[in-house]
Amino acid sequence: MDIQQSLTNLAVTGNDNRVGLFFTNYQTNFEEEDTSRILFRDRWKQARGLSEGVARCPNPESTLRAIIKSFRESLATMFTTSSEEFDEPSSMVRDIQDQCQGAEESSRLLRACKKIDGFAHYLKSYFHVVEIFVTGDTDCSLLACSALHLVFSLSSRYVNIFETLADMLSKMTNMLPRYWHYLQRLRGQDLRGINSHFGYALSFLYADILQFCRDACQVLAPKCSAERSNEDNLFELLWAPIDIRFQLMLDRFQDLTELGGPRTSYKNERAPAPGVPEVDKEETIEWLKRGEGLKLFIEKVRKDLDTREEIRVNHEKRCELRKKKEMLYETRLRHIVQWMSPPDFVGGSCESSDYEQARRRRKPHSCAWILHDPTYASWKWRDESSSNILWLEAKPGFGKTTLSVTIIEDLRDAADEISTDMYSPFVAYFHFDLQRPDKRSYSDALRALIVQFIYSSAPDTEFIDAISLFKYPHNGEQQKPSVDNMMEIFLLCASRLPQLSLVLDGVDECEKFGDLLSLLVEACTRNKNLNIIFLGRPSVPLPIRYRNIVTRHSLHDSNRSDIRDYLLDELGELKGSNKLEDGLDLGELADILTLRADSMFLWATLMVSYLGLSAHSPAARTKTIQVTNCLQELDELYRELLKQYGKKTQAERDVLAKILHILIMAEHPPTLQQMKIAIAIIPGRSLSKADFLTNFPDALREICGALVEIRPDNTVQLVHLSLREVLCSEQTAHIDIPFKADSRSASLFLSVISLSYLIHDVPRRHLADSPQTIANTSELNNRFPFLEFAARTWVNHAIIAINSDASTLAELIPTCQPLVQQLLDFVRHSGSISMWIEACWTYGFAPSIVHLWEALDRRRHSPTPVTQRSPVEMEIEPFIERIQSLSQDLNRLHIEWHHLLQIRPYEIWGASISGFMGPLSWARNIDAKLYLIGSEHLHESNTETIIVRSKVSDCGRLIGVVKILRPSNVE
């Protein structure tokens, strides 16, 4: 490239914003892109490796030494010991490879090492050039190799980060100027008269390489308690997420490349192969001597750095820059939270609904006994004799979730007492709940804990950088975090916090708890200041290998005084309402009930509810309290409550039965509005205003009593998981109570009301108000609150009902008649099917009934000969075939059109899908006839081509060609 042309290009692009292209590639939100454009209009002002005053160093040697000094000082704030030193890049790579040999995922690490080796080869050539233009011993090669070795030694425990950093090195190798490989041939030449600007350019490049290492080390190194970023520090104010900083660095490399160089056709990174002409040395020397482009470039960089220095002494500009940085930080933080999708996270508050509900429900001064428990105190203050992990175990219904709130508050108070500007302990928590699908798995816990980490008291840009390395991987895709990614993020974040306490409640309700325990034990080995407390049932087994690591501590009888105080207050309320006999000693009654409660706070609350029932006389209540062993077991108390609720009116019993059926089998706890609709549905007709219960929250509490609770997020669920176990137990099935529950009857009920709602209560048309419009899920939930619940669950519940019942169609039809009737109506209404398909894709899942069809098909092929089948079986045969056709068409739809329906669900109503797929079980397009080009049905000799149009898909993998032909019989 001609020098003058290079300068022209540089003048044009010097203030451009290549970071915009970077954001496009990574599909970043436009709000973040706009913020970045404000901050990064000139990439050289963002060169944080060029420290204060380096722009005015008198020569390249002093510039390089200033860069090295600044880097060593910054590294000293992160590490107390010096890093290992290497004389040349190849030995550094070999040592990294040796470390990777015995590590987990060694094959992945070693593959990534090939990219490190490619960069090391470039460094070798680069340092030869530095030796030519920078005189004196600067140790730049030694320092760079040691810094890179440190980066990949630290990241070797995090395979995904190791791969990402290696890929970043590969991108750097591809972007670095190619003429370095030629200039090394000038060694030994007479270079007197060569200007020093080229040495400055080499120094600037070196500063970026070191800054890359420093940024990576800041993400990976344990956070020093004495380390606290200074918000007035200019380089802190210039912060941007690490992926943006990296792209800006690549842009600076591009600037160096665009300066041009000696003409050559050689483009390989390694040394020229035999027979390839070498670059003309005289031409190279002449290019260096002229130096006009280099001189202008260095002057421009110096000017940008001087402008940056002006901000340091200008308070107003620093304040403006700080606001822009905070805006970028908040934007990236919001995107990370959306990406992590933590459960029970609302509006930037880390307090979950479980925490808030337990805190509000807790009686004053209750649970204070835990603060004086010796085992807990030893764990809390990290005595040498205690382990990092404490397991507090107690029966179901003990009140462990309420206790966890007291523990969280106590740990936070203790952290506040010892917290300083330089040191801040942190407390995070999670409540597992099998009734909530987003709070069952250990991955749910990891997502919640990670978000709490990054929402810690002071903004931590390094946390943001660490997660950005996962969110913006080397392939440029923004996928949801995998479990593998979340485990690495958790380990990295946990290792960086100087002191961390985790409170995990309900671990007996955690799916794959063994995997979580293994991860937490590993985290404790990496951070000795990590303390973890579990709360769960004693029935959960602990693997032998962890018995010396985890301390199990029984809480039985610890809450006796809390239960007695609660019962004493409630008995006082009963006596004040004249529901107890006169002359009774309330303290004595409270003692009797406390003993029978046997540490189960839930039993105490249920007993109070039972005693408060209006069906009991004061004498009956006294007898219930005083009779030894009366309703002493939790299961027994549940069943007695169900018997009492069975004495309600028939209408109330019907509503309670529906509510219990829904809560037993619902995959997600229904909202109040969804529950209100569900119990009002009368299958086979649409809902009217007169069908709904008035004052529904109050009606729900009155009908369900203590069995059901309304949570702070307005969802409805059983008072405790133990009630579900009782309702579905074999023992309950053999007892004469009106609210027996089983998966078949509950699933049958749910599938029937869901289908009825889809058929009769949602219009058979586009879900949005206008065609060619993507329906907004929030608006849909307001207009049709039960739509997502019904669309998502009816198939699974129908399968459970069918599989739990008869073995033949003849036996199935009478027992599942309401479901069969709704299915018949559903397949007859093509508009309802299209609406359901659009709803499924709108809510982010693909519709399928293949397993439903298989369940019906197994019963169709029964041993009964065709001639002996009943008229009902013969009548239903066409219906079964319709189900089969619908299943096959939905499968074809997913294969051929999922890429379109994922982004535009409304296309299910358009002519394209039905036109291209041909006649469907629920849709038919008689206006369009479409044939594949080359089809035997297409005879172009008899037609005239009107238009031919082709289009390539956005992903670049598909191409469509449309030819419109006029038939020969049309004039």
Side-chain angles (χ1 to χ4, degrees):
M1 180 184 293
D2 180 75
I3 292 292
Q4 186 60 44
Q5 183 61 45
S6 299
L7 293 174
T8 303
N9 291 343
L10 184 60
V12 173
T13 62
N15 289 318
D16 74 349
N17 184 26
R18 292 192 187 93
V19 75
L21 295 176
F22 170 80
F23 275 108
T24 302
N25 293 336
Y26 283 78
Q27 304 171 14
T28 304
N29 186 285
F30 286 115
E31 183 181 0
E32 188 175 43
E33 181 180 351
D34 291 341
T35 306
S36 71
R37 289 183 184 277
I38 296 171
L39 285 172
F40 309 129
R41 285 174 294 189
D42 196 306
R43 48 194 162 273
W44 284 99
K45 292 178 184 176
Q46 312 300 322
R48 304 204 305 173
L50 298 176
S51 57
E52 180 182 2
V54 75
R56 292 302 167 186
C57 288
N59 52 56
E61 291 78 16
S62 59
T63 301
L64 202 56
R65 288 194 179 92
I67 291 168
I68 291 173
K69 180 175 181 290
S70 174
F71 176 75
R72 289 189 186 279
E73 290 174 350
S74 66
L75 215 59
T77 64
M78 291 184 275
F79 303 97
T80 56
T81 58
S82 59
S83 58
E84 193 169 351
E85 295 184 345
F86 294 89
D87 292 331
E88 62 173 31
S90 58
S91 60
M92 174 266 296
V93 175
R94 283 196 300 271
D95 195 80
I96 295 174
Q97 290 172 330
D98 291 342
Q99 290 184 33
C100 295
Q101 287 288 352
E104 291 186 20
E105 302 281 358
S106 58
S107 59
R108 290 174 60 186
L109 294 173
L110 290 171
R111 281 196 299 271
C113 282
K114 295 180 180 178
K115 297 177 181 179
I116 304 174
D117 184 53
F119 186 73
H121 177 82
Y122 173 84
L123 281 183
K124 187 175 182 179
S125 302
Y126 167 78
F127 290 133
H128 285 322
V129 180
V130 173
E131 291 174 4
I132 298 173
F133 290 93
V134 180
T135 60
D137 184 12
T138 59
D139 287 336
C140 61
S141 174
L142 186 71
L143 181 60
C145 292
S146 300
L148 284 168
H149 181 271
L150 179 60
V151 167
F152 288 97
S153 294
L154 290 171
S155 63
S156 60
R157 295 190 297 178
Y158 310 101
V159 181
N160 293 290
I161 286 186
F162 190 98
E163 289 177 326
T164 299
L165 292 173
D167 190 74
M168 293 167 87
L169 280 189
S170 180
K171 289 184 177 181
M172 290 164 64
T173 306
N174 293 333
M175 288 294 294
L176 286 166
R178 293 294 186 268
Y179 48 77
W180 302 149
H181 298 282
Y182 298 93
L183 294 177
Q184 64 177 312
R185 292 170 178 77
L186 298 176
R187 298 181 72 181
Q189 300 294 317
D190 182 10
L191 299 179
R192 285 176 296 179
I194 300 294
N195 65 70
S196 61
H197 293 107
F198 196 75
Y200 283 116
L202 293 172
S203 300
F204 296 164
L205 191 152
Y206 184 74
D208 267 333
I209 294 173
L210 289 186
Q211 187 62 35
F212 169 81
C213 296
R214 182 181 184 276
D215 288 345
C217 287
Q218 277 193 307
V219 168
L220 296 163
K223 193 175 184 66
C224 178
S225 60
E227 180 187 354
R228 179 69 67 178
S229 63
N230 180 1
E231 286 299 321
D232 283 330
N233 184 300
L234 178 61
F235 295 109
E236 291 296 331
L237 296 178
L238 289 172
W239 175 87
I242 192 170
D243 49 288
I244 298 178
R245 299 201 303 272
F246 177 71
Q247 181 61 36
L248 291 167
M249 183 185 69
L250 295 184
D251 290 342
R252 292 192 290 271
F253 288 174
Q254 181 66 23
D255 283 350
L256 294 171
T257 303
E258 289 177 351
L259 285 173
R263 295 183 182 85
T264 177
S265 60
Y266 172 63
K267 295 182 180 179
N268 294 330
E269 293 179 9
R270 298 188 179 273
V276 177
E278 291 191 6
V279 68
D280 186 277
K281 295 179 181 179
E282 296 299 328
E283 182 182 351
T284 302
I285 293 174
E286 182 61 28
W287 174 76
L288 287 168
K289 285 182 177 180
R290 291 198 307 268
E292 295 93 345
L294 287 170
K295 181 180 179 181
L296 290 174
F297 169 73
I298 299 302
E299 287 177 355
K300 178 192 179 302
V301 172
R302 284 176 167 174
K303 182 178 179 181
D304 288 341
L305 295 178
D306 286 341
T307 303
R308 186 179 72 181
E309 291 302 314
E310 293 172 4
I311 300 175
R312 191 187 302 276
V313 296
N314 188 312
H315 176 72
E316 184 178 341
K317 289 184 177 180
R318 285 206 315 275
C319 290
E320 181 183 357
L321 192 59
R322 185 181 301 111
K323 290 179 181 178
K324 291 175 180 177
K325 174 201 168 181
E326 290 171 355
M327 181 170 58
L328 180 60
Y329 179 90
E330 292 296 330
T331 302
R332 175 57 66 91
L333 177 60
R334 187 163 58 253
H335 295 163
I336 286 176
V337 171
Q338 292 171 354
W339 180 64
M340 295 297 297
S341 301
D344 214 4
F345 182 89
V346 181
S349 170
C350 290
E351 308 300 4
S352 69
S353 61
D354 295 291
Y355 176 89
E356 291 294 344
Q357 177 165 302
R359 187 175 61 83
R360 287 197 293 265
R361 191 167 48 192
R362 181 183 54 180
K363 297 296 182 181
H365 310 299
S366 66
C367 299
W369 50 266
I370 190 64
L371 308 181
H372 309 290
D373 186 287
T375 304
Y376 169 75
S378 177
W379 169 87
K380 170 185 170 182
W381 297 114
R382 292 168 166 81
D383 290 351
E384 292 183 2
S385 59
S386 67
S387 61
N388 290 66
I389 304 177
L390 175 63
W391 188 321
L392 302 179
E393 54 185 31
K395 288 182 177 181
F398 176 89
K400 296 184 288 295
T401 299
T402 304
L403 175 61
S404 72
V405 172
T406 298
I407 292 174
I408 292 166
E409 291 177 346
D410 179 52
L411 293 174
R412 285 176 172 174
D413 290 342
D416 289 341
E417 289 178 6
I418 61 176
S419 180
T420 67
D421 291 340
M422 311 298 291
Y423 178 82
S424 180
F426 185 65
V427 181
Y429 65 89
F430 187 75
H431 301 279
F432 290 99
D433 188 348
L434 271 178
Q435 296 192 71
R436 306 177 74 85
D438 60 344
K439 306 196 79 173
R440 297 172 184 168
S441 72
Y442 75 97
S443 63
D444 297 328
L446 292 180
R447 286 184 287 120
L449 293 172
I450 290 168
V451 169
Q452 290 178 65
F453 292 164
I454 62 178
Y455 264 92
S456 54
S457 55
D460 193 327
T461 54
E462 279 122 27
F463 274 157
I464 297 296
D465 284 344
I467 299 175
S468 293
L469 288 176
F470 291 93
K471 188 174 186 288
Y472 298 95
H474 55 271
N475 60 8
E477 297 176 2
Q478 279 194 34
Q479 299 174 342
K480 291 295 181 183
S482 65
V483 174
D484 183 45
N485 277 348
M486 286 189 292
M487 289 172 66
E488 281 198 12
I489 295 173
F490 173 81
L491 288 172
L492 179 59
C493 292
S495 67
R496 286 186 48 78
L497 290 166
Q499 185 171 324
L500 171 63
S501 298
L502 301 181
V503 181
L504 302 177
D505 172 50
V507 293
D508 49 285
E509 300 181 37
C510 171
E511 298 173 349
K512 297 183 178 180
F513 174 67
D515 293 340
L516 175 63
L517 181 59
S518 176
L519 176 69
L520 294 177
V521 169
E522 182 180 351
C524 287
T525 62
R526 298 189 183 191
N527 184 355
K528 299 301 182 182
N529 292 320
L530 170 60
N531 266 18
I532 302 170
I533 194 165
F534 295 144
L535 295 96
R537 300 185 187 186
S539 57
V540 179
L542 181 66
I544 295 175
R545 65 182 181 277
Y546 296 135
R547 289 181 183 173
N548 293 329
I549 303 174
V550 180
T551 300
R552 298 190 76 154
H553 178 52
S554 174
L555 298 176
H556 185 70
D557 249 8
S558 299
N559 62 348
R560 179 186 291 271
S561 61
D562 287 350
I563 293 176
R564 186 185 186 281
D565 291 344
Y566 166 75
L567 288 169
L568 194 60
D569 290 343
E570 294 299 325
L571 289 172
E573 291 288 333
L574 289 174
K575 187 173 183 179
S577 303
N578 297 319
K579 292 184 177 182
L580 288 178
E581 295 177 283
D582 294 332
L584 295 174
D585 186 336
L586 297 185
E588 182 180 340
L589 297 181
D591 289 337
I592 293 172
L593 291 177
T594 300
L595 183 64
R596 284 161 58 188
D598 195 27
S599 289
M600 291 183 290
F601 218 110
L602 176 61
W603 184 93
T605 58
L606 291 174
M607 175 55 76
V608 168
S609 177
Y610 177 76
L611 293 173
L613 293 174
S614 56
H616 297 315
S617 66
R621 293 188 181 96
T622 303
K623 182 179 179 181
T624 298
I625 295 171
Q626 294 180 335
V627 172
T628 305
N629 296 330
C630 178
L631 305 179
Q632 186 160 344
E633 296 297 325
L634 189 60
D635 293 5
E636 187 181 359
L637 182 53
Y638 275 136
R639 294 186 184 102
E640 186 60 32
L641 278 169
L642 290 170
K643 287 181 182 178
Q644 293 299 321
Y645 291 151
K647 298 176 183 179
K648 293 176 178 283
T649 66
Q650 183 64 48
E652 289 177 320
R653 292 201 303 271
D654 290 345
V655 171
L656 180 56
K658 290 179 181 180
I659 291 171
L660 294 177
H661 276 133
I662 293 170
L663 296 181
I664 287 169
M665 290 303 296
E667 296 176 7
H668 295 77
T671 64
L672 267 174
Q673 189 67 12
Q674 288 173 338
M675 182 66 80
K676 179 180 178 181
I677 292 171
I679 63 176
I681 293 173
I682 300 175
R685 71 169 179 82
S686 58
L687 286 163
S688 66
K689 187 176 181 180
D691 294 323
F692 297 106
L693 292 177
T694 57
N695 300 319
F696 183 68
D698 294 336
L700 183 73
R701 294 185 183 96
E702 182 179 346
I703 292 170
C704 300
L707 301 180
V708 171
E709 64 181 8
I710 301 172
R711 296 175 58 83
D713 59 356
N714 275 333
T715 57
V716 183
Q717 68 179 49
L718 299 174
V719 66
H720 196 267
L721 189 63
S722 54
L723 175 56
R724 184 192 217 170
E725 297 167 356
V726 169
L727 289 169
C728 298
S729 68
E730 288 291 331
Q731 187 176 356
T732 303
H734 297 94
I735 297 176
D736 185 22
I737 58 175
F739 304 110
K740 297 176 184 178
D742 60 83
S743 60
R744 190 205 74 84
S745 58
S747 293
L748 179 63
F749 170 71
L750 280 169
S751 60
V752 168
I753 63 171
S754 296
L755 277 169
S756 180
Y757 186 80
L758 293 174
I759 297 168
H760 300 287
D761 294 293
V762 185
R764 298 164 192 164
R765 56 175 177 79
H766 301 87
L767 290 175
D769 291 331
S770 58
Q772 306 294 305
T773 303
I774 300 173
N776 180 279
T777 54
S778 297
E779 294 177 2
L780 275 183
N781 292 335
N782 289 330
R783 291 166 55 207
F784 309 110
F786 199 61
L787 174 59
E788 182 180 7
F789 187 100
R792 191 181 289 275
T793 64
W794 79 263
V795 177
N796 287 337
H797 289 306
I799 293 169
I800 294 171
I802 292 170
N803 286 337
S804 302
D805 214 312
S807 58
T808 66
L809 266 181
E811 297 166 337
L812 174 71
I813 293 169
T815 56
C816 290
Q817 194 278 331
L819 172 59
V820 172
Q821 183 59 52
Q822 293 304 312
L823 281 171
L824 278 168
D825 289 346
F826 185 66
V827 297
R828 288 171 183 158
H829 292 96
S830 59
S832 293
I833 296 175
S834 294
M835 179 276 300
W836 172 62
I837 294 171
E838 184 186 1
C840 292
W841 286 109
T842 299
Y843 284 112
F845 63 97
S848 173
I849 61 168
V850 61
H851 297 302
L852 173 61
W853 149 246
E854 290 170 351
L856 290 170
D857 191 48
R858 283 194 296 271
R859 285 153 181 78
R860 184 172 67 164
H861 297 295
S862 61
T864 308
V866 176
T867 55
Q868 298 180 18
R869 291 184 182 177
S870 66
V872 176
E873 286 183 279
M874 299 300 291
E875 182 180 349
I876 206 172
E877 185 65 26
F879 154 72
I880 302 295
E881 292 176 356
R882 289 284 298 274
I883 294 290
Q884 179 183 13
S885 297
L886 178 58
S887 175
Q888 293 170 345
D889 287 342
L890 287 174
N891 186 50
R892 282 181 56 210
L893 182 72
H894 182 266
I895 294 172
E896 298 175 13
W897 293 93
H898 71 276
H899 57 284
L900 177 63
L901 292 170
Q902 282 176 336
I903 57 175
R904 296 201 294 269
Y906 60 78
E907 291 287 356
I908 192 63
W909 299 94
S912 296
I913 291 178
S914 58
F916 278 99
M917 290 185 66
L920 297 169
S921 54
W922 79 90
R924 190 176 301 274
N925 188 332
I926 61 174
D927 299 323
K929 293 183 179 179
L930 303 171
Y931 303 102
L932 294 178
I933 295 177
S935 168
E936 60 182 8
H937 301 287
L938 186 62
H939 302 289
E940 294 193 37
S941 58
N942 297 324
T943 61
E944 178 186 350
T945 301
I946 301 174
I947 187 173
V948 177
R949 182 70 182 271
S950 64
K951 185 176 182 180
V952 179
S953 66
D954 294 337
C955 66
R957 295 193 300 266
L958 305 172
I959 184 169
V961 180
V962 177
K963 300 179 74 172
I964 300 179
L965 309 174
R966 183 168 61 189
S968 56
N969 60 345
V970 176
E971 295 295 335

